[in-house]
Amino acid sequence: MLPLLGTDDEVVAFFTEIADLDATDPSSHELEDGVCLASGARLEQFARAGSGDAFCFVGEGGEERTVVYVSLDGEAGPLGLGLAELVRLCLVAPWWRDAPGRTAEELRAVADEYREDLPDLDQRRDRAAQALGLDPAGLPSEAAALARLVELSRGPVAAACLVIGYEGDPLDPLFDATPSHP
């Protein structure tokens, strides 16, 4: 799937322009010196956001590895257990970066803004999904994808994927690691 993220026109257009994930030139993606996992496992950047934030695989292996996002703003956390989970997240909720700390109503407003700015979002998503060999009807809902992010932020995956910044301190979690109470 990773080669398609960097070469298929429909996929590249969706992921770079809408989901802000650029995997077109993996050799140019390099983490800041000193950014690493607390566990000592390998952290391999395979894509970047326009801001320079990094999408990284954890450990050794292929696309089945856990994917971690490392923000230049000092935040990091797991996004999926494998590239396929990250791809599904980006297809259904390309605005996921706006999710931390937002209420359901605020998230609905963010999604509505995305759709207002990109009236053909669903068609573009479906074309990208099909180019990746995914059935658009089988994609998770936005709510399910975001709930999965929160789940990953609170469990053993988050602990195993703790990212240490170049100054030696753990980066802040992407999502609040404690359940909110009314």
Side-chain angles (χ1 to χ4, degrees):
M1 194 177 285
L2 187 56
L4 291 174
L5 287 176
T7 60
D8 183 278
D9 291 341
E10 290 282 352
V11 175
V12 170
F14 183 89
F15 280 85
T16 60
E17 297 168 19
I18 297 172
D20 195 20
L21 184 155
D22 183 353
T24 57
D25 187 12
S27 63
S28 72
H29 308 315
E30 213 170 291
L31 286 170
E32 286 185 50
D33 285 340
V35 175
C36 62
L37 290 171
S39 68
R42 181 176 180 214
L43 196 58
E44 176 190 350
Q45 185 173 351
F46 65 88
R48 64 178 168 78
S51 62
D53 295 352
F55 293 87
C56 304
F57 286 124
V58 172
E60 302 296 328
E63 295 179 3
E64 77 287 349
R65 294 177 284 171
T66 299
V67 175
V68 169
Y69 187 78
V70 180
S71 164
L72 295 176
D73 293 331
E75 298 176 326
L79 297 180
L81 299 180
L83 184 61
E85 191 169 4
L86 170 67
V87 163
R88 286 179 179 89
L89 166 67
C90 291
L91 287 168
V92 300
W95 43 266
W96 64 266
R97 284 176 204 78
D98 294 327
R102 293 190 183 262
T103 65
E105 295 80 26
E106 290 169 326
L107 290 174
R108 178 78 300 179
V110 170
D112 289 346
E113 285 176 32
Y114 243 79
R115 291 185 187 292
E116 194 173 296
D117 291 342
L118 297 162
D120 63 343
L121 176 65
D122 292 339
Q123 293 82 8
R124 292 177 73 180
R125 177 205 58 221
D126 291 353
R127 287 192 307 266
Q130 290 166 343
L132 289 165
L134 301 172
D135 177 1
L139 294 173
S141 68
E142 292 172 3
L146 293 173
R148 178 68 172 150
L149 284 179
V150 172
E151 175 188 334
L152 290 171
S153 296
R154 294 184 179 153
V157 174
C161 295
L162 181 64
V163 177
I164 305 297
Y166 66 91
E167 293 179 355
D169 296 320
L171 299 184
D172 293 331
L174 285 174
F175 296 87
D176 186 4
T178 58
S180 58
H181 299 286

